Amino acid sequence: MITLISDFGTSDPYVGIMKGVILSKDPSAVIVDITHEIAPQDVAEAAYAIYSAYRYFPPGSIHVLVVDPGVGSHRAIIAVSMAGYYFLAPDNGVLSLVLESGNVDFITTVENDSYFLKPVSRTFHGRDIFAPVAGHLSNGLPIDRLGSEIKTDNAVHLELPMPYQSQTGEIAGTVINVDRFGNLITNIDHPFIQKTFGLVSERDLNISIGTHQIAGLSACYEDAGSQSLLAIVGSMGFIEISVNCGSASEFCKQTRGSVVSITAVDRK
Amino acid sequence: MITLISDFGTSDPYVGIMKGVILSKDPSAVIVDITHEIAPQDVAEAAYAIYSAYRYFPPGSIHVLVVDPGVGSHRAIIAVSMAGYYFLAPDNGVLSLVLESGNVDFITTVENDSYFLKPVSRTFHGRDIFAPVAGHLSNGLPIDRLGSEIKTDNAVHLELPMPYQSQTGEIAGTVINVDRFGNLITNIDHPFIQKTFGLVSERDLNISIGTHQIAGLSACYEDAGSQSLLAIVGSMGFIEISVNCGSASEFCKQTRGSVVSITAVDRK
Amino acid sequence: MITLISDFGTSDPYVGIMKGVILSKDPSAVIVDITHEIAPQDVAEAAYAIYSAYRYFPPGSIHVLVVDPGVGSHRAIIAVSMAGYYFLAPDNGVLSLVLESGNVDFITTVENDSYFLKPVSRTFHGRDIFAPVAGHLSNGLPIDRLGSEIKTDNAVHLELPMPYQSQTGEIAGTVINVDRFGNLITNIDHPFIQKTFGLVSERDLNISIGTHQIAGLSACYEDAGSQSLLAIVGSMGFIEISVNCGSASEFCKQTRGSVVSITAVDRK
């Protein structure tokens, strides 16, 4: 199984062409689109997308990421074996969150052009390198044939915003994504809240964004009135700010990068 | 075969994650997207989509609908066996049109959490319940293992606008959908016209929407001049108002919910 | 393998319904979307899309195009065997570029309604004709069963803009497509430049669009500064005008149909 994440969109034939090349190499490959609507060149958005998705695919799946503003330059392409999955991506940090989330077995550069489509174009390595290499991996090619092993520490690392406890005690986090529903997905997860505040009840958390205050976490969207603001533990374990049957992004006029803070009520 | 309808859009990784879960349960499943662009929480739009599509899939197909504003609340999830197909959906009326269109064999709640992905999140039952249950059904799990049988009449019913004959004799209907081309799809079908007016010629029907009058039905779009308004029997058997090589929605400044009326010329 | 190009978009269930019909005829068919975001009725855009994509699929693939403003009229549907591929499309010129790019083996009208879904609707031949015929071809139906052979010259030909050398010596071309990244894809390819100017160095070409001048071709996007304009040989061999990490379309305020000219520096 091969999954695809890119910033190609679905209006142009680019994604279809990549699938044609993959299936020319391995006609039995099952290809699943994770998303092609990453904002152009937005490596961080793609890093979150693959981090949230990769574990839900069968072992052996090959995850291919083509968000690649450096295409055709001297940036490397890397292939990774980790946690029973393969990953194929430009070495631009798009795999940062994945690599931090498990034990890497092997990383190699992708340089052996006998697995490329030739001539390699200047602008579309998705077609000429990523797709045929994914097809070869899917056919059983050992990953160490692709290039030279590198150390995990030598892969490009992307600095992504992390939550922290401020001097005044509250958790300071960031909106890392806004989904189609307008949910504001933060980088604050439940373990971090517990580490900071101890075993605090969800009722005793106060969440602030912009001028809005939310008291406690909800068990479901309908716990809040229709069109009302709420906070909830989202499907990836991060705190999300939502509006029941509406868009929190529009309601709060907040977006990716917005600051979110959480305090705990002192019941002493 | 498993089909998917949701309001998840295709920008976020949600749909890809669902496919990963399905294929983890049944690697041989063939998954077809019907649409993921249902407007957020628009149960009625999804009800029309599945109604127009389900018959065109091979017998045994499993149709999965995740338009689910009540996710995480006490709303039930139901699985239906009907007309050789399976349907899996929240019990919020999204299957109303389907259930009216055939003879239901069996409906059950979906409660047996041994078929769920755990822990079940508060916000993404598509991943944690719908996808793994669809995978199990695809693997041959008997539908009666999922929960407790319920009667068709006890499933939530959505009141959708129906056409009627007004006191002055004309058919009064509603635009139920506007497609990408700007076609205004009404809820008035040909059998209803015949029931109301008898065996009237298509030429003798007058269709009104807003300030616009259309004389007769067209045999094809090109029957009208370029950029001209026309009415035609659409692919689902409903009367549609279209503009040849243009958008009837823009031309008429009408949209979903707009009133459409049809009269028959009296040739006596 | 069956590929699909249409102007149906992905919001409506039309594409999913076509896939259901195909898979009802041939459950083992692998279906790949090339794009469904062709602008409504834009036959030329679809002609470029299939031309850029068809070679990248395995031999024997069946390419289906449904951009069909004449649906239901007397326009013909044709099936083509060429270069090891099959093509199925309305006879409206959408295959013009494909047919010019290779040696046609066989063209037939598609008229044998024993392979159609009946009753054939007035508005959705994608479902009623294209999909079932594609399924039958995928099942091994000989193409000559579909209708009557026609000569290549009798297929409708679309006049698409071609580059030429003006009286003052420069190459005059046109932007034929703008992709998701805002790249302006011209109709000027490298062989045409060589034919016009001889063996000129890429450095010695000057590309003009609107009020903008670009000196030389780039080897990759990063060769230009961030947000800077550049010209590059794109993945289909055509000259493209791009902005590194930005949109050339927005930068230059140019779009499809815009004039592009290229001159060669005289080093004598």
Side-chain angles (χ1 to χ4, degrees), chain B residues 175-251:
Chain B
V175 173
I176 54 173
N177 201 21
V178 182
D179 71 10
R180 189 201 189 206
F181 299 97
N183 296 316
L184 300 163
I185 302 168
T186 76
N187 58 354
I188 307 168
D189 64 9
H190 211 259
F192 189 81
I193 292 173
Q194 288 187 309
K195 201 179 70 177
T196 308
F197 296 137
L199 276 173
V200 64
S201 159
E202 293 193 354
R203 271 186 331 230
D204 293 337
L205 297 172
N206 280 308
I207 299 92
S208 305
I209 182 163
T211 59
H212 298 273
Q213 307 282 334
I214 303 163
L217 300 182
S218 292
C220 66
Y221 296 128
E222 286 198 346
D223 266 10
S226 183
Q227 306 298 325
S228 296
L229 197 65
L230 62 103
I232 193 165
V233 179
S235 59
M236 284 307 300
F238 295 114
I239 301 296
E240 299 184 12
I241 296 168
S242 303
V243 163
N244 181 19
C245 290
S247 162
S249 179
E250 289 178 15
F251 187 97

Side-chain angles (χ1 to χ4, degrees), chain A residues 115-128:
Chain A
Y115 303 114
F116 299 175
L117 215 64
K118 274 161 276 191
V120 172
S121 66
R122 302 179 189 185
T123 61
F124 193 9
H125 290 187
R127 178 191 70 190
D128 302 331

Side-chain angles (χ1 to χ4, degrees), chain B residues 1 32-35 37 49 52-53 56-58 177 179-181 185 202 218-222 232-235 245, chain C residues 7-14 16-17 19-21 23-24 36-38 40-41 70-73 117 122-124 127:
Chain B
M1 188 164 316
V32 176
D33 300 305
I34 297 180
T35 177
E37 304 294 336
S52 67
Y56 294 100
F57 287 83
N177 201 21
D179 71 10
R180 189 201 189 206
F181 299 97
I185 302 168
E202 293 193 354
S218 292
C220 66
Y221 296 128
E222 286 198 346
I232 193 165
V233 179
S235 59
C245 290
Chain C
D7 57 357
F8 290 159
T10 53
S11 296
D12 302 305
Y14 302 139
I17 290 170
K19 292 178 182 174
V21 173
L23 292 163
S24 296
H36 298 289
E37 304 294 335
I38 300 294
Q41 295 101 30
V71 59
S73 70
L117 214 65
R122 303 178 189 187
T123 61
F124 193 9
R127 178 191 68 191

Side-chain angles (χ1 to χ4, degrees), chain C:
Chain C
M1 186 165 315
I2 294 173
T3 80
L4 303 178
I5 291 178
S6 80
D7 57 357
F8 290 159
T10 53
S11 296
D12 302 305
Y14 302 139
V15 172
I17 290 170
M18 281 187 65
K19 292 178 182 174
V21 173
I22 290 170
L23 292 163
S24 296
K25 298 294 175 192
D26 179 4
S28 69
V30 172
I31 306 174
V32 175
D33 300 305
I34 297 182
T35 176
H36 298 289
E37 304 294 335
I38 300 294
Q41 295 101 30
D42 193 334
V43 173
E45 186 185 352
Y48 287 115
I50 187 60
Y51 173 71
S52 67
Y54 80 90
R55 294 165 232 249
Y56 293 100
F57 288 84
S61 295
I62 301 161
H63 296 295
V64 180
L65 293 102
V66 194
V67 179
D68 190 13
V71 59
S73 70
H74 292 296
R75 70 92 181 81
I77 296 174
I78 56 174
V80 177
S81 167
M82 193 192 98
Y85 299 103
Y86 295 101
F87 300 86
L88 189 60
D91 184 22
N92 60 13
V94 71
L95 291 177
S96 295
L97 284 166
V98 167
L99 297 180
E100 285 170 9
S101 71
N103 293 312
V104 171
D105 294 317
F106 190 76
I107 306 188
T108 175
T109 59
V110 176
E111 295 179 289
N112 186 340
D113 68 6
S114 58
Y115 303 115
F116 299 175
L117 214 65
K118 271 162 277 191
V120 172
S121 66
R122 303 178 189 187
T123 61
F124 193 9
H125 289 187
R127 178 191 68 191
D128 303 330
I129 302 180
F130 291 93
V133 168
H136 282 292
L137 285 177
S138 176
N139 271 334
L141 181 78
I143 188 174
D144 60 7
R145 300 279 187 83
L146 295 175
S148 309
E149 184 173 4
I150 64 170
K151 292 183 178 166
T152 306
D153 288 350
N154 289 339
V156 171
H157 185 81
L158 198 67
E159 286 301 327
L160 295 166
M162 300 300 287
Y164 60 93
Q165 187 173 20
S166 75
Q167 291 186 327
T168 51
E170 85 264 20
I171 293 173
T174 306
V175 173
I176 54 175
N177 200 21
V178 181
D179 72 10
R180 189 202 188 204
F181 299 96
N183 296 316
L184 301 163
I185 302 168
T186 76
N187 58 354
I188 307 169
D189 64 8
H190 211 259
F192 189 81
I193 293 174
Q194 288 187 309
K195 201 179 72 177
T196 308
F197 296 137
L199 275 173
V200 63
S201 159
E202 292 193 354
R203 271 187 331 231
D204 292 338
L205 296 172
N206 279 309
I207 299 92
S208 305
I209 182 164
T211 58
H212 297 274
Q213 307 281 335
I214 303 164
L217 299 182
S218 292
C220 67
Y221 296 127
E222 287 199 346
D223 266 10
S226 183
Q227 306 298 327
S228 296
L229 196 66
L230 62 104
I232 193 165
V233 178
S235 60
M236 283 307 299
F238 295 114
I239 302 295
E240 300 185 12
I241 296 168
S242 302
V243 163
N244 180 21
C245 289
S247 163
S249 179
E250 290 178 14
F251 187 97
C252 298
K253 312 258 181 277
Q254 301 291 327
T255 187
R256 188 168 145 195
S258 292
V259 173
V260 175
S261 64
I262 300 182
T263 55
V265 175
D266 191 348
R267 297 238 175 237
K268 276 178 290 193

